[in-house]
Short mmCIF file of all heavy atoms in Angstrom, two decimals:
data_model
loop_
_atom_site.label_atom_id
_atom_site.label_comp_id
_atom_site.label_asym_id
_atom_site.label_seq_id
_atom_site.Cartn_x
_atom_site.Cartn_y
_atom_site.Cartn_z
N MET G 1123 -30.43 22.57 5.12
CA MET G 1123 -30.62 21.36 4.28
C MET G 1123 -29.36 21.43 3.37
O MET G 1123 -29.13 22.42 2.72
CB MET G 1123 -31.94 21.50 3.52
CG MET G 1123 -32.06 20.48 2.51
SD MET G 1123 -33.37 19.33 2.95
CE MET G 1123 -33.28 18.26 1.56
N ILE G 1127 -26.19 15.86 -4.02
CA ILE G 1127 -25.04 15.60 -4.91
C ILE G 1127 -25.51 14.85 -6.09
O ILE G 1127 -26.23 13.89 -6.10
CB ILE G 1127 -24.03 14.66 -4.18
CG1 ILE G 1127 -23.61 15.44 -2.84
CG2 ILE G 1127 -22.87 14.25 -5.04
CD1 ILE G 1127 -22.56 14.46 -2.07
N TYR G 1129 -24.12 12.99 -9.61
CA TYR G 1129 -22.92 12.36 -10.26
C TYR G 1129 -23.36 11.27 -11.24
O TYR G 1129 -24.38 10.84 -11.27
CB TYR G 1129 -21.98 11.95 -9.13
CG TYR G 1129 -22.76 10.96 -8.17
CD1 TYR G 1129 -22.76 9.53 -8.46
CD2 TYR G 1129 -23.40 11.32 -7.09
CE1 TYR G 1129 -23.30 8.65 -7.55
CE2 TYR G 1129 -24.04 10.57 -6.21
CZ TYR G 1129 -23.99 9.13 -6.48
OH TYR G 1129 -24.68 8.32 -5.62
N ALA G 1144 -8.00 -3.27 -7.85
CA ALA G 1144 -6.55 -2.91 -7.49
C ALA G 1144 -6.18 -3.26 -6.17
O ALA G 1144 -5.02 -3.77 -5.86
CB ALA G 1144 -6.36 -1.49 -7.75
N TYR G 1213 13.69 -13.89 -6.46
CA TYR G 1213 13.20 -13.61 -7.84
C TYR G 1213 12.58 -14.82 -8.45
O TYR G 1213 11.50 -14.79 -8.99
CB TYR G 1213 14.16 -12.79 -8.70
CG TYR G 1213 13.55 -12.26 -9.90
CD1 TYR G 1213 12.64 -11.30 -9.85
CD2 TYR G 1213 13.90 -12.80 -11.16
CE1 TYR G 1213 12.02 -10.77 -10.89
CE2 TYR G 1213 13.32 -12.37 -12.26
CZ TYR G 1213 12.43 -11.27 -12.26
OH TYR G 1213 11.74 -10.89 -13.34
N GLN G 1234 4.15 -2.65 -8.81
CA GLN G 1234 3.21 -2.35 -9.81
C GLN G 1234 1.84 -2.41 -9.43
O GLN G 1234 1.00 -1.37 -9.67
CB GLN G 1234 3.39 -3.20 -11.08
CG GLN G 1234 2.63 -2.70 -12.33
CD GLN G 1234 3.03 -3.48 -13.46
OE1 GLN G 1234 3.16 -4.83 -13.44
NE2 GLN G 1234 3.24 -2.92 -14.68
N LEU G 1238 -0.89 0.66 -9.10
CA LEU G 1238 -2.26 0.69 -9.66
C LEU G 1238 -3.39 1.13 -8.54
O LEU G 1238 -4.29 1.80 -8.76
CB LEU G 1238 -2.68 -0.71 -10.08
CG LEU G 1238 -2.04 -1.13 -11.44
CD1 LEU G 1238 -2.36 -2.65 -11.69
CD2 LEU G 1238 -2.63 -0.37 -12.59
N LEU G 1246 -10.56 7.94 -7.52
CA LEU G 1246 -11.89 7.98 -6.70
C LEU G 1246 -12.00 9.10 -5.80
O LEU G 1246 -13.01 9.72 -5.79
CB LEU G 1246 -11.85 6.62 -5.95
CG LEU G 1246 -13.25 6.08 -5.44
CD1 LEU G 1246 -14.28 6.16 -6.43
CD2 LEU G 1246 -13.07 4.72 -4.83
N GLY G 1257 -21.83 24.96 -4.07
CA GLY G 1257 -22.39 25.84 -2.95
C GLY G 1257 -21.68 25.49 -1.58
O GLY G 1257 -21.73 26.29 -0.60
N THR G 1263 -9.23 23.60 -0.88
CA THR G 1263 -8.74 23.36 0.52
C THR G 1263 -8.85 21.83 0.69
O THR G 1263 -7.92 21.27 1.26
CB THR G 1263 -9.65 24.04 1.47
OG1 THR G 1263 -9.59 25.37 1.24
CG2 THR G 1263 -9.10 23.71 2.81
N ALA G 1267 -5.95 19.17 1.39
CA ALA G 1267 -6.08 18.29 2.68
C ALA G 1267 -5.92 16.84 2.37
O ALA G 1267 -5.23 16.13 3.13
CB ALA G 1267 -7.38 18.55 3.37
N TYR G 1295 -19.97 14.15 8.82
CA TYR G 1295 -18.51 14.42 8.45
C TYR G 1295 -18.36 15.86 8.37
O TYR G 1295 -17.84 16.71 8.20
CB TYR G 1295 -17.95 13.76 7.24
CG TYR G 1295 -17.87 12.22 7.48
CD1 TYR G 1295 -18.91 11.40 7.30
CD2 TYR G 1295 -16.77 11.65 8.09
CE1 TYR G 1295 -18.80 10.03 7.58
CE2 TYR G 1295 -16.65 10.39 8.30
CZ TYR G 1295 -17.60 9.60 8.03
OH TYR G 1295 -17.58 8.21 8.26
#
Side-chain angles (χ1 to χ4, degrees):
M1123 171 115 180
I1127 296 176
Y1129 53 92
Y1213 190 72
Q1234 193 173 39
L1238 286 172
L1246 200 51
T1263 302
Y1295 288 91

